[in-house]
Amino acid sequence: MLRAPASYRGWVPTRDHRLDRAKGILIFTVVLGHLLARTSPWDDDVLRAPMYLIYSFHMPAFVFLAGITAKSTRLPERVLTFLVLLFTVLPLLWGWMWVFDLNPDYDLLTPFWYTWFLLSMACWIITVPFIERFPRTLLVTSVVVGLFGGILPVLDMELSASRSMIFWPFFVIGKLYGKQILDWAGSLHIWQKLFFTAAAFGSVGYFYLDEVYYKWFYGSLNFAHFDVSIPEGIGIRLIVDIGALLMTLMLLMWVGDKDTIIAKIGRNSLAVYVLHGFVVRGLQPWLRDIEDVLNAPMIFLLCLVLALLATYLLSWGPFERGLRWYSSTVTRLLLKPFASLRAKPGKHSDKASS
């Protein structure tokens, strides 16, 4: 049975290339999925298969990995970093889409497209101290919220509320048990890995053959939008989550631990995530027209090459360093007026220990 250590649960003391490699693979699937999404893939039997494969797990797995490395130290800085990126990317992305004569679907209360993750990360990080203090309570709470949150009619795409609730259990599990799960997955025998791999692909096959409505994987809508009863909605949500867990386990089983180009991409995955939207939307008019010229297998091959190229180029070190420098600098400036309100190191610790 997996148990959260009493001290600093989920902490990873040194750089773990397995995490980097997993992030590298996942950020590539994000780019590939968003490129394919510009070509109406859900209406084609060929393109729908990789879309089910990608969307069945890539964001839950990303959230799980984020939980592993989440810390409660310097909490205001960590939260503000994601908010700074969110409020910087949104207007730039709206302007970028205006240049290409695309509809940005402007709404102040709804983070546009992939920027929901930045807001949700800020929300999940706020919960880290509570996860560390009340691990079992927060684990149960997150699972209940994730499964039953779709009942609430007032929480949907606004403020990324639905996604924050639905994917929160993956963050909590990653924080409490992620390192142990990572070690366990890597230590399995080959026949065990093959068994879980078959189960993972079996779940994706079920989604594909049963034509499960793809928006269930987005986690952005409540049950009312799917026109299902509450028991049915909870059941579908549970099946989708189990599929995501199986696929995440499969990734961790085979990811390997060598420090290769995949690991380097994973280390710079924040830059790839933030910047790839501009590449994808810039290519959107062209990808939309390419459907009339190429068949589905060729479209997939083209998007695959474009995703590989975009992921590699956007993982260039200066992009990541520049993005982190910018977000940390703005964060420091925002927090500077409140510096006097923050306790100085050692000032109160002596009283507490006396």
Side-chain angles (χ1 to χ4, degrees):
M1 179 179 179
L2 295 173
R3 292 184 178 180
S7 62
Y8 205 53
R9 299 172 176 86
W11 179 59
V12 182
T14 57
R15 195 86 202 184
D16 193 328
H17 297 310
R18 294 173 299 176
L19 293 177
D20 292 332
R21 288 171 65 88
K23 288 181 180 178
I25 293 170
L26 289 171
I27 197 61
F28 165 72
T29 65
V30 169
V31 178
L32 176 58
H34 285 162
L35 284 169
L36 286 172
R38 310 277 75 79
T39 66
S40 306
W42 298 106
D43 299 325
D44 184 273
D45 290 340
V46 174
L47 296 179
R48 193 165 66 246
M51 291 295 283
Y52 270 117
L53 181 65
I54 292 170
Y55 278 84
S56 66
F57 87 106
H58 73 316
M59 289 316 299
F62 239 129
V63 176
F64 171 83
L65 296 180
I68 294 180
T69 55
K71 300 178 180 67
S72 58
T73 55
R74 299 173 58 243
L75 203 64
E77 289 89 341
R78 297 182 190 280
V79 172
L80 267 179
T81 293
F82 285 101
L83 294 180
V84 166
L85 290 175
L86 172 67
F87 290 110
T88 301
V89 171
L90 271 178
L92 291 176
L93 197 56
W94 286 327
W96 183 254
M97 292 188 67
W98 177 80
V99 169
F100 288 91
D101 197 26
L102 301 171
N103 179 18
D105 195 20
Y106 175 86
D107 188 341
L108 273 178
L109 292 179
T110 303
F112 176 65
W113 192 24
Y114 68 99
T115 60
W116 70 266
F117 181 71
L118 301 174
L119 179 56
S120 292
M121 272 299 301
C123 295
W124 295 325
I125 289 174
I126 291 173
T127 69
V128 170
F130 302 100
I131 297 171
E132 293 177 347
R133 181 67 180 86
F134 311 104
R136 292 178 178 83
T137 301
L138 266 293
L139 176 61
V140 173
T141 301
S142 68
V143 172
V144 171
V145 168
L147 291 177
F148 292 83
I151 297 173
L152 302 175
V154 294
L155 296 179
D156 210 338
M157 297 184 70
E158 292 79 6
L159 297 176
S160 191
S162 180
R163 281 168 163 152
S164 296
M165 292 189 300
I166 286 173
F167 296 131
W168 188 32
F170 295 91
F171 183 85
V172 176
I173 293 171
K175 172 62 184 171
L176 294 178
Y177 308 111
K179 185 60 166 62
Q180 294 165 271
I181 292 174
L182 189 62
D183 292 338
W184 172 79
S187 67
L188 293 176
H189 297 293
I190 186 66
W191 68 267
Q192 293 172 312
K193 292 183 179 181
L194 291 174
F195 171 79
F196 281 107
T197 299
F201 279 115
S203 67
V204 177
Y206 163 75
F207 298 143
Y208 177 82
L209 295 175
D210 201 51
E211 296 186 5
V212 174
Y213 190 29
Y214 63 90
K215 289 193 175 181
W216 280 103
F217 303 111
Y218 292 178
S220 58
L221 302 172
N222 56 39
F223 295 160
H225 282 273
F226 296 105
D227 194 24
V228 296
S229 65
I230 291 176
E232 185 180 1
I234 295 171
I236 295 174
R237 183 78 263 155
L238 179 61
I239 292 172
V240 169
D241 286 352
I242 291 173
L245 283 172
L246 288 172
M247 286 295 296
T248 301
L249 284 175
M250 186 199 70
L251 172 67
L252 299 179
M253 289 172 192
W254 300 104
V255 70
D257 60 357
K258 292 184 178 179
D259 187 11
T260 61
I261 183 64
I262 298 175
K264 177 247 181 182
I265 291 172
R267 287 192 289 272
N268 297 333
S269 59
L270 180 62
V272 180
Y273 189 86
V274 169
L275 299 176
H276 85 280
F278 297 91
V279 175
V280 171
R281 291 296 181 170
L283 292 172
Q284 180 173 334
W286 179 67
L287 289 172
R288 191 170 48 199
D289 295 336
I290 208 72
E291 296 178 76
D292 300 327
V293 180
L294 301 178
N295 58 24
M298 290 302 297
I299 290 175
F300 173 74
L301 186 61
L302 175 65
C303 289
L304 185 68
V305 172
L306 289 173
L308 287 169
L309 186 61
T311 304
Y312 177 75
L313 293 177
L314 295 178
S315 66
W316 187 42
F319 285 146
E320 181 80 11
R321 292 193 293 271
L323 201 64
R324 292 189 180 276
W325 174 85
Y326 164 77
S327 59
S328 62
T329 300
V330 175
T331 296
R332 283 198 302 271
L333 289 174
L334 291 173
L335 290 175
K336 193 172 183 179
F338 305 98
S340 60
L341 300 177
R342 304 178 69 179
K344 295 182 179 180
K347 187 173 181 180
H348 299 292
S349 58
D350 293 338
K351 293 181 181 180
S353 60
S354 60

